[in-house]
Amino acid sequence: MKIAVLTGAGVSAESGIKTFRDSDGLWEGHDVMEVASPEGFAQNPEVVLDFYNQRRKQLLSVQPNTAHYALADLEDKHNVTIITQNVDDLHERAGSKNVIHLHGELLKVRSTFDEDLILDWKEDLYLGDVCENNHQLRPHIVWFGEMVPMIEVAAEVVEKADAIIIVGTSMQVYPAAGLIQYAKPDAQIYFVDPKPSISESKKIMVFAEKASIGVPKVVELLN
Ligand code: APR
């Protein structure tokens, strides 16, 4: 069976990474637009770089959780593609082979001049760190107002899927939230989130619980 999995911040919550909208619109104490927009970067690049330096350090200190591992296990029997809004690498570390990152990756940086010049990066990033062509490097993150280059590939994956699993997302950020509209009419949809933003229907089975509890149940149903 072809399975598309759409994940958001909630799948990594139990690994210790905070979600975005569970705490008063602040993200680790910051206004999201200040640290996640091209305007914010232009205005105060040090604050933005420092913010992502902290996120990168935090990521290197946390581990995948039961939900990431259960999704990786699905690959034993099915053709699985994970489409994640998360910038962490916890799906990959849990063993998932096909992961599409809609909003970029924390462990990569790119040239501010050439968006295709992307480098692996585990250290802190500072003003003055430049690419081979001497242009400042920035986090490889899709900020608010920027294009989501992987969205078309993701839509194709959803279109072909026989089953779709959605985990831990408030479904508020487009175009990611619109992906579900590409589902085949007969695709079964499973939604795991303690505060689900979608209601149960004939096509959608809702598991109103944490990812570590709900995801293994969905995986068992599909195996
Ligand atoms: N298990 C599953 N879901 C959980 C858990 C958990 N343990 N804890 C919280 N959640 C759910 C919340 O109920 C909420 O619905 O995770 C969801 C998190 O929602 P958001 O914080 O809005 O995160 P997300 O949907 O991934 O945000 C999308 O917004 O700022 C941007 O680019 C950023 O990729 C991000 C995008």
Side-chain angles (χ1 to χ4, degrees), residues 5-46:
V5 183
L6 313 181
T7 65
V11 77
S12 298
E14 290 163 85
S15 293
I17 300 179
K18 285 213 178 93
T19 61
F20 302 94
R21 291 176 185 77
D22 284 325
S23 54
D24 306 332
L26 288 185
W27 183 17
E28 297 277 2
H30 290 267
D31 175 341
V32 173
M33 293 310 281
E34 187 193 323
V35 292
S37 71
E39 295 78 14
F41 185 56
Q43 250 162 36
N44 211 336
E46 274 111 341

Side-chain angles (χ1 to χ4, degrees), residues 7-15 17-23 27 32 36 52 65 67 84-87 102-103 141-144 167-174 176 191-197 207 209-215:
T7 65
V11 77
S12 298
E14 290 163 85
S15 293
I17 300 179
K18 285 213 178 93
T19 61
F20 302 94
R21 291 176 185 77
D22 284 325
S23 54
W27 183 17
V32 173
Y52 287 99
N65 66 56
T84 187
Q85 295 169 79
N86 299 342
V87 297
L102 289 177
H103 295 164
I141 304 283
V142 175
W143 285 327
F144 284 100
V167 189
T169 170
S170 58
M171 302 289 272
Q172 286 193 28
V173 174
Y174 283 80
F191 192 93
V192 182
D193 194 304
K195 291 185 200 153
S197 54
F207 294 75
E209 49 201 4
K210 289 183 171 183
S212 62
I213 309 289
V215 172

Side-chain angles (χ1 to χ4, degrees), residues 84-186:
T84 187
Q85 295 169 79
N86 299 342
V87 297
D88 66 52
D89 66 339
L90 297 179
H91 285 301
E92 287 92 338
R93 276 198 255 157
S96 287
K97 296 279 185 306
N98 306 313
V99 186
I100 296 173
H101 285 272
L102 289 177
H103 295 164
E105 293 173 68
L106 203 42
L107 298 182
K108 292 186 177 167
V109 299
R110 70 170 186 257
S111 164
T112 46
F113 186 72
D114 175 1
E115 62 187 32
D116 294 326
L117 207 166
I118 301 165
L119 306 170
D120 291 330
W121 202 272
K122 287 196 170 157
E123 311 294 318
D124 286 347
L125 180 67
Y126 296 108
L127 280 184
D129 286 332
V130 292
C131 71
E132 64 204 37
N133 302 323
N134 226 19
H135 296 290
Q136 175 65 43
L137 293 165
R138 57 162 274 183
H140 182 48
I141 304 283
V142 175
W143 285 327
F144 284 100
E146 294 188 318
M147 302 278 285
V148 180
M150 297 305 285
I151 198 72
E152 281 170 26
V153 185
E156 276 169 32
V157 169
V158 173
E159 250 167 21
K160 291 186 186 132
D162 306 302
I164 298 167
I165 308 174
I166 306 175
V167 189
T169 170
S170 58
M171 302 289 272
Q172 286 193 28
V173 174
Y174 283 80
L179 280 174
I180 193 173
Q181 285 156 16
Y182 292 88
K184 287 199 283 203
D186 59 345

